[in-house]
Amino acid sequence: MTYCIGMGLDEGLVFVSDSRTNAGIDKIARFEKMRVFENPGERVMVALSAGNLSVTQNALNLLDLRARKDPQAVSLWNVGSMFEAARLLGDAMREVREYDEKYLREQNIDVSASFILGGQIAGETPRLFLVYSEGNFIEALNDTPYFQIGEIKYGKPILDRMIQRGSSLEAGVKCALISFDATIRSNLSVGAPIDLLIYRADSLRVETRERLMEDDPYLARINREWDEGLHRVFDSLPAHDW
Amino acid sequence: MTYCIGMGLDEGLVFVSDSRTNAGIDKIARFEKMRVFENPGERVMVALSAGNLSVTQNALNLLDLRARKDPQAVSLWNVGSMFEAARLLGDAMREVREYDEKYLREQNIDVSASFILGGQIAGETPRLFLVYSEGNFIEALNDTPYFQIGEIKYGKPILDRMIQRGSSLEAGVKCALISFDATIRSNLSVGAPIDLLIYRADSLRVETRERLMEDDPYLARINREWDEGLHRVFDSLPAHDW
């Protein structure tokens, strides 16, 4: 399983992903699910992936291969808009699925996969997309400024409570990490390390990218303080008078 | 969809269920999902149901019909243990599924269903069971003193944080209602009124059974205070120093 969050806030974008994959409970490995495409001063794109790892990896690898083979061809490095980038990624995923799906389905292997793709290209504002398994995609707008992929339910209520478009990057990061804590507690197949990337609007470069290990002091501190705070609030709630 | 929680605490049992059913987004109705079997001073049983409504209703109706036709026959009214009650319920569900399943599957209708069954029979301690769609069942023990059925994920993290076997009935009710709030916010097909039943261990009667409407003042108050408290705790958490 996987859990990834992408947020599109006025101040910029926040991306958080776990790094656990599993094919059965005894086949757990660590794979980064965050891929960054950066040409400082000109474009930054971040792709988070969930679902069948061969599908998501190969879609990105296909785009990468073609861009290296022919730098003039249309690629994530030269499209003029994030919309075109999302379409490229969706098309690449369709191509991989068409190539592999028949063989995977024969073994009842789930071929579904999805991406969160966000970033900024000079001349545009920062944008955030969710690319579905079928290759179509939607863009985050004001009402719901975030996307989740993977094991999304446990960590959704806190995002709905706390995050609006106008939330600060700082609040976005805090909330994403709390959402991860709820998910990691409830689903063994989501796990640290947690990859975190914060993109400040119009900076056109990645300033903050971190890998938070399981014993990361900041992570431990907010998880502990959140838990203590929740218990305090819970205890202070009035009892029902039956 | 549905959401139901049953808790087995040292002080007694807590049952909470929503009352919305839907067969498609434009076919929403209100059905109570809590069924009570009470013989004051001798036994109290509460069944919460999720899944295919015809399967769960008919399983209960079947048990009811047979008990009325022949009061001497084995029924929920005369079995000597909650274990036997859970088995009766599981068997009744199997019977209904065998009777109907072929016709439902032809229309791709989901026949899965499940029950939480809890209560106490004189001579036993209070017990809580989860009856699966296949008719087999498990009992709540110390490590995990609650069961959920239906739309379980949104409201699970708060239960895991707050509820242990030794939690008070009061805490159990508060936590269940908060868990409902998170679920109702996230899934339109779970909705008020909320049925609440609190069973105090060894009382062998139902003392508290309430239907909380959408505008119930207690519900509104704890939801508001919980939300405000969460925001307070959230704001007080330290920011990450990037």
Side-chain angles (χ1 to χ4, degrees):
Chain A
M1 204 65 192
T2 288
Y3 183 37
C4 301
I5 306 172
M7 291 181 191
L9 309 175
D10 289 340
E11 290 186 8
L13 305 168
V14 176
F15 300 91
V16 190
S17 57
D18 86 317
S19 52
R20 193 166 291 179
T21 67
N22 67 308
I25 195 69
D26 59 347
K27 211 165 174 183
I28 288 182
R30 192 187 281 181
F31 278 93
E32 188 169 10
K33 294 159 194 174
M34 181 182 286
R35 188 98 146 233
V36 181
F37 302 82
E38 182 186 19
N39 179 8
E42 198 271 327
R43 72 182 56 212
V44 169
M45 285 181 207
V46 181
L48 307 178
S49 54
N52 188 302
L53 188 65
S54 78
V55 171
T56 56
Q57 274 198 349
N58 287 350
L60 290 166
N61 285 341
L62 209 57
L63 292 178
D64 200 46
L65 176 74
R66 287 182 186 151
R68 280 192 289 120
K69 266 190 167 168
D70 177 6
Q72 306 312 313
V74 176
S75 77
L76 294 181
W77 297 105
N78 58 25
V79 288
S81 69
M82 286 301 298
F83 170 83
E84 291 163 282
R87 178 166 276 180
L88 268 184
L89 188 53
D91 288 348
M93 184 153 59
R94 287 173 176 168
E95 198 176 326
V96 171
R97 286 187 57 163
E98 274 165 28
Y99 195 87
D100 287 334
E101 191 156 351
K102 175 171 165 295
Y103 303 92
L104 298 176
R105 285 222 192 271
E106 277 172 10
Q107 302 301 319
N108 282 319
I109 294 171
D110 186 2
V111 293
S112 63
S114 55
F115 287 101
I116 292 172
L117 178 71
Q120 185 173 16
I121 296 173
E124 282 199 324
T125 55
R127 299 173 74 179
L128 183 71
F129 293 87
L130 173 64
V131 183
Y132 293 111
S133 200
E134 292 71 27
N136 57 330
F137 54 89
I138 59 173
E139 182 170 8
L141 300 175
N142 287 336
D143 289 331
T144 302
Y146 69 85
F147 288 129
Q148 304 165 283
I149 51 176
E151 177 62 276
I152 68 174
K153 291 190 178 183
Y154 299 115
K156 184 169 184 293
I158 190 67
L159 293 169
D160 285 333
R161 270 186 211 277
M162 300 296 167
I163 296 304
Q164 294 95 39
R165 190 101 200 164
S167 300
S168 66
L169 284 173
E170 178 195 301
V173 171
K174 273 203 288 191
C175 189
L177 295 180
I178 291 170
S179 174
F180 261 76
D181 184 46
T183 308
I184 287 173
R185 281 167 186 257
S186 296
N187 187 329
L188 271 186
S189 70
V190 175
I194 295 173
D195 291 302
L196 166 67
L197 190 149
I198 306 165
Y199 174 74
R200 197 168 292 281
D202 303 327
S203 67
L204 293 171
R205 68 195 69 240
V206 175
E207 287 163 4
T208 307
R209 186 179 181 185
E210 276 192 38
R211 167 157 277 205
L212 305 174
M213 305 307 288
E214 209 149 348
D215 58 353
D216 179 82
Y218 177 68
L219 207 55
R221 185 172 166 203
I222 63 162
N223 289 344
R224 190 188 63 245
E225 291 187 15
W226 179 246
D227 193 58
E228 289 167 356
L230 253 53
H231 277 90
R232 252 190 340 266
V233 175
F234 184 78
D235 292 340
S236 77
L237 293 180
H240 193 19
D241 59 332
W242 311 311
Chain B
M1 206 62 194
T2 289
Y3 183 36
C4 301
I5 307 173
M7 290 181 192
L9 309 175
D10 290 338
E11 290 187 7
L13 304 168
V14 175
F15 300 91
V16 191
S17 58
D18 85 319
S19 53
R20 192 164 291 179
T21 67
N22 68 308
I25 194 70
D26 58 348
K27 211 166 176 182
I28 287 183
R30 192 188 282 182
F31 279 93
E32 187 169 8
K33 294 158 193 173
M34 181 182 288
R35 188 97 146 234
V36 181
F37 302 83
E38 182 186 19
N39 179 9
E42 198 272 326
R43 72 182 57 211
V44 169
M45 285 181 208
V46 181
L48 308 177
S49 54
N52 187 300
L53 187 64
S54 77
V55 171
T56 55
Q57 275 197 349
N58 288 350
L60 290 166
N61 285 341
L62 209 57
L63 292 179
D64 201 43
L65 175 74
R66 287 183 187 151
R68 281 192 289 122
K69 268 192 167 166
D70 177 5
Q72 306 312 314
V74 176
S75 78
L76 294 182
W77 297 105
N78 59 24
V79 288
S81 68
M82 287 299 299
F83 170 83
E84 290 162 282
R87 180 167 276 180
L88 269 184
L89 189 54
D91 287 348
M93 183 154 59
R94 286 173 177 167
E95 198 177 327
V96 172
R97 286 188 57 163
E98 272 165 28
Y99 196 85
D100 287 335
E101 190 156 351
K102 175 172 165 294
Y103 303 92
L104 299 175
R105 284 221 192 272
E106 276 172 10
Q107 302 301 320
N108 281 319
I109 294 172
D110 187 1
V111 294
S112 63
S114 54
F115 288 101
I116 292 172
L117 178 71
Q120 185 172 17
I121 296 173
E124 282 200 324
T125 54
R127 299 172 75 178
L128 184 71
F129 293 87
L130 174 64
V131 183
Y132 293 110
S133 200
E134 291 72 26
N136 57 331
F137 53 89
I138 58 173
E139 182 171 8
L141 299 175
N142 287 336
D143 289 331
T144 301
Y146 70 86
F147 288 129
Q148 305 164 283
I149 51 177
E151 177 62 276
I152 67 174
K153 291 190 178 183
Y154 299 116
K156 186 170 185 290
I158 190 68
L159 293 169
D160 285 334
R161 270 185 211 277
M162 298 296 167
I163 297 304
Q164 292 96 38
R165 191 99 200 166
S167 300
S168 66
L169 284 173
E170 178 196 301
V173 171
K174 274 201 290 190
C175 190
L177 295 180
I178 292 170
S179 174
F180 261 76
D181 184 47
T183 308
I184 288 173
R185 281 166 186 256
S186 296
N187 187 330
L188 270 187
S189 70
V190 176
I194 295 174
D195 291 303
L196 166 66
L197 191 150
I198 307 167
Y199 174 74
R200 197 169 293 280
D202 303 327
S203 66
L204 292 170
R205 67 194 70 242
V206 175
E207 289 162 4
T208 307
R209 186 180 181 184
E210 277 193 39
R211 169 157 276 205
L212 305 175
M213 306 306 288
E214 209 150 350
D215 58 352
D216 179 83
Y218 176 67
L219 206 56
R221 184 170 167 205
I222 63 162
N223 288 345
R224 190 188 66 244
E225 292 187 13
W226 178 247
D227 192 59
E228 290 167 359
L230 253 52
H231 276 90
R232 250 186 347 264
V233 175
F234 185 79
D235 291 342
S236 77
L237 293 179
H240 193 21
D241 60 332
W242 311 312

